[in-house]
Amino acid sequence: MESYRIGVVGCAGRMGRMIARIVQQTEGCVLAGGSDRPDCGALGSDLGVLAGLGALGLPVSDDTVTLFARSDAVIDFTTPAATAIHADLAAQAHAVFVVGTTGLDSAQEKRITLAAKHTAVVRAANMSLGVNLLLGLVEQVARALDPDYDIEVLEMHHRHKADAPSGTALALGAAAAAGRGVDLERAAVRSRDGITGPRNPGDIGFATLRGGDVAGDHSVIFAGPGERIVLEHRATSREVFAKGAIKAALWARDRKPGLYSMRDVLGI
Ligand code: NAD
């Protein structure tokens, strides 16, 4: 079988570089190229060198249209605005589109949904096996417990993270809400400050910590009368996200158009 050509948008970023390296090291896959913003500081650099490999003769470019045209699949860990544009390009090029970017607003989400009418899109706020297992466990526990158990989601990430709460924390909140049969939009309390008064029954609270180089820690706390259940995941390396994204791209090869989740990819 011919090598599967994977393009990386945002290839100069923390995740982009790691994904480029692991694509090149994955059997049956080859880098189609990488693109980033004109002001990223890496334009024209060799993608292989940027990714910590030897030179590959693939300069980082800002020509995203050409990148999509020559890729079987494109992996996107960039920004919400960029991801919305890339979704349109994926639809036009019929390239498999794997999206890890978090913090999208509803208009940007819609562009992803539209793209999925034309090509296979895999989207997950977290591409790790552990977090996707945790999502199922959180839903189960929330379903089993009565509403007397208060649900709080706590997350910590590195100092550069742009959005809060993390996409994973929101996904965990959504899993808890689904288990409890409530709407997260109504139940979520995304920050607290000052004289907040007592906690409202049924709230799903979020708390965010930022600092250092933390790859991603998440806990879901079910605090009831006389006991507390804590479900926790800690990522110790971003590699789990990069490997998950490449697994998703391979899984989506030749799949019919549609919006898929990491739980589809992992079969859980
Ligand atoms: P980063 O800032 O290091 O990298 C983002 C890259 O995207 C930068 O190089 C930036 O220049 C580039 N970019 C921005 N606009 C662009 C455009 N229009 N065209 C091409 N490139 C563009 O950030 P990061 O830590 O790599 O994270 C990126 C995103 O991935 C964030 O939303 C983060 O929350 C998410 N993330 C998701 C997972 C997951 O498993 N789903 C894991 C880690 C991070």
Side-chain angles (χ1 to χ4, degrees):
M1 201 189 265
E2 259 184 43
S3 288
Y4 190 47
R5 289 164 302 158
I6 301 184
V8 182
V9 287
C11 64
R14 274 178 292 272
M15 284 303 303
R17 288 170 199 233
M18 183 167 281
I19 289 163
R21 174 169 64 76
I22 298 175
V23 164
Q24 200 62 18
Q25 293 169 341
T26 302
E27 174 104 32
C29 295
V30 66
L31 271 174
S35 73
D36 210 294
R37 283 193 315 208
D39 61 349
C40 72
L43 235 57
S45 313
D46 191 284
L47 180 55
V49 173
L50 200 66
L53 306 162
L56 294 171
L58 290 171
V60 176
S61 149
D62 61 353
D63 181 1
T64 315
V65 175
T66 302
L67 179 63
F68 272 86
R70 65 177 206 219
S71 301
D72 298 314
V74 172
I75 301 180
D76 182 334
F77 284 64
T78 58
T79 62
T83 294
I85 294 167
H86 296 153
D88 299 346
L89 296 177
Q92 283 159 25
H94 296 283
V96 164
F97 191 44
V98 176
V99 184
T101 311
T102 58
L104 278 68
D105 65 23
S106 55
Q108 291 158 341
E109 298 273 359
K110 206 167 164 201
R111 302 262 287 275
I112 305 249
T113 313
L114 284 175
K117 293 189 190 304
H118 303 278
T119 191
V121 179
V122 183
R123 163 118 199 272
N126 193 303
M127 302 270 174
S128 83
L129 170 64
V131 160
N132 285 283
L133 284 170
L134 186 65
L135 287 168
L137 292 174
V138 166
E139 189 173 335
Q140 234 180 69
V141 173
R143 184 170 297 119
L145 294 173
D146 68 46
D148 210 18
Y149 284 75
D150 297 324
I151 303 176
E152 295 282 311
V153 184
L154 174 66
E155 61 106 335
M156 179 162 188
H157 280 86
H158 55 89
R159 59 170 70 118
H160 303 287
K161 185 158 177 65
D163 53 317
S166 70
T168 303
L170 292 170
L172 289 165
R180 195 170 254 190
V182 298
D183 178 10
L184 181 64
E185 290 291 310
R186 284 166 183 265
V189 176
R190 291 172 60 144
S191 63
R192 297 185 179 104
D193 187 25
I195 312 295
T196 58
R199 192 182 198 282
N200 291 317
D203 281 353
I204 296 179
F206 291 86
T208 299
L209 309 178
R210 290 287 174 266
D213 60 357
V214 178
D217 292 352
H218 292 88
S219 307
V220 182
I221 303 160
F222 297 86
E227 66 176 353
R228 208 155 70 232
I229 301 165
V230 182
L231 299 178
E232 184 174 57
H233 178 269
R234 288 177 184 224
T236 49
S237 159
R238 288 196 185 89
E239 261 193 37
V240 286
F241 311 131
K243 286 185 173 157
I246 293 159
K247 189 180 207 141
L250 284 163
W251 176 89
R253 189 178 198 173
D254 300 326
R255 224 161 264 266
K256 62 177 198 293
L259 186 55
Y260 302 99
S261 72
M262 215 45 208
R263 287 168 86 175
D264 296 321
V265 173
L266 297 167
I268 54 174

